[in-house]
Each structure stands twice: as C-alpha cells, then as structure tokens.
Amino acid sequence: MKKIAVFASGNGSNFQVIAEEFSVEFVFSDHRDAYVLERADKLGVLSYAFELKEFENKADYEVALVELLEEHQIDLVCLAGYMKIVGPILLAAYEGRIINIHPAYLPEFPGAHGIEDAWNARVGQSGVTIHWVDSGVDTGKVIKQVRVPRLADDTIDSFEARIHEAEYKLYPEVIRELLDK
Ligand code: GRF
C-alpha cells in the first residue's frame, strides 16, 4: 500500500478532497495557523506544522521535512497549495515522488497567481495542471491537465470556482493512477 503525504500552506480544500477519497498518512503545513490543520483534525488525519523561520535556513527546514517523510515511509508527496519552492534537499531525497497542482494550463500562467493572471489576460479558456515537481516554479513534466472555459458572464469568482471544481476532480484522478502503478 503506497503512502501519501499532502503539503498545504493555507485553506486546504484540495487536501480535504484528497483525504476524503484516500488514506492520507499525514498533512504538513508550513504555517501553524493554517485552516488546513483544522480540516485535518475534523477528518482525523495526522498533521504536522512548523515554519521556515523556526530554522537557521531552508536546508535545515527541509532536512526536518525529509526526516518526517522517511519516518512515515511516504511514497508520494502531493503539494496542494504549498506556497514554497521545493529546495535542493527535499528534491534530492524525493524527486520523482513529488507532484503539484497548478490552477492554470501550464506552461501558461505559472507562479502564485495562475487564476488571476489568466483572468486578467482575458483568455477564453484556462485550465488545471498536475505536474512532477522539479527545481523550477511550475516547470516540471506535466502528468495530466484539463481545460476550463471562461464564460461570457463569468466574474473572477465564478471563474475561480470553476477552476477549483476541475482541481477537485483532476487531483484524485491522478493520485489514483499513480497509486495503481
Ligand atoms: C489551488 O488553487 C492550487 O491549485 C494552488 O493553490 C490553491 C490551493 O487551494 N496551488 P486549497 O488550499 O487547496 O484550497
């Protein structure tokens, strides 16, 4: 049985969808006050939280993360709104076993504001991408992606909600495929 960990920095709605469908070994948040930690409690999922600023440097922070992953013998790390770039320590230990969800159709609109950037560019369609994590920002090999239309009467809120709905469908699909491999 392959073991999953989820990393999330904030709200955690993607974590919730994943945890409702799969057995999640633990969720990690790099913010001690993130709402995702409340979701984990309600779902009975083990959670850990510590912050980069509590360490001397990012390398030490990532050493602690790798220890946690190894202690739990994690096979697959699912980033879901984890707002940090994965650094060399974590990559060296886990590259090829870390995936990320991005709320746009990569390579279109990488970075922290994929939804807003697509909206401001007035595209007719955007999308959602699941990709392997490498040292770049949203540059890793694409695993699966779907298109999401922007409709004529959309507001940014309705557009965003449609993107999230697509995320909640796509992420579990991809995780299922990777776990079945
Ligand atoms: C999602 O849109 C995800 O694609 C992006 O950050 C957002 C996280 O939302 N990377 P949530 O924390 O899962 O609700």
Side-chain angles (χ1 to χ4, degrees):
M1 191 57 190
K2 290 186 183 168
K3 290 187 177 180
I4 312 171
V6 177
F7 287 12
S9 298
N11 177 34
S13 64
N14 280 280
F15 156 72
Q16 171 128 11
V17 167
I18 294 167
E20 282 170 353
E21 185 158 341
F22 303 94
S23 163
V24 172
E25 182 76 9
F26 71 84
V27 61
F28 166 73
S29 180
D30 59 327
H31 291 288
R32 289 182 182 273
D33 59 357
Y35 183 59
V36 67
L37 299 169
E38 282 178 43
R39 293 187 191 264
D41 279 352
K42 284 187 197 136
L43 289 160
V45 175
L46 177 65
S47 67
Y48 295 97
F50 50 75
E51 305 201 1
L52 175 57
K53 66 182 184 213
E54 296 161 14
F55 294 80
E56 281 288 309
N57 51 46
K58 188 153 174 188
D60 287 357
Y61 161 84
E62 288 204 335
V63 166
L65 278 177
V66 171
E67 277 173 12
L68 209 50
L69 292 169
E70 287 178 346
E71 187 187 314
H72 286 271
Q73 300 184 299
I74 296 301
D75 298 293
L76 182 66
V77 181
C78 303
L79 307 186
Y82 176 66
M83 301 306 287
K84 277 191 174 54
I85 293 169
V86 172
I89 302 275
L90 185 50
L91 267 185
Y94 268 83
E95 189 156 20
R97 294 184 287 174
I98 314 179
I99 61 177
N100 181 45
I101 184 163
H102 183 73
Y105 201 89
L106 293 172
E108 299 167 11
F109 309 111
H113 308 287
I115 298 175
E116 205 183 333
D117 291 347
W119 175 261
N120 290 333
R122 300 173 192 282
V123 290
Q125 54 178 2
S126 185
V128 171
T129 303
I130 314 286
H131 64 92
W132 294 105
V133 171
D134 66 11
S135 58
V137 176
D138 303 324
T139 51
K141 191 173 183 298
V142 170
I143 303 171
K144 202 168 189 177
Q145 50 193 168
V146 288
R147 280 293 186 183
V148 177
R150 169 178 171 157
L151 304 182
D153 60 353
D154 264 346
T155 61
I156 187 161
D157 290 343
S158 60
F159 177 62
E160 180 166 359
R162 193 174 308 112
I163 300 263
H164 290 312
E165 285 309 314
E167 292 192 305
Y168 304 152
K169 196 162 164 279
L170 190 65
Y171 217 170
E173 264 174 42
V174 168
I175 292 171
R176 172 75 55 212
E177 283 167 22
L178 294 176
L179 293 184
D180 285 348
K181 268 188 186 158

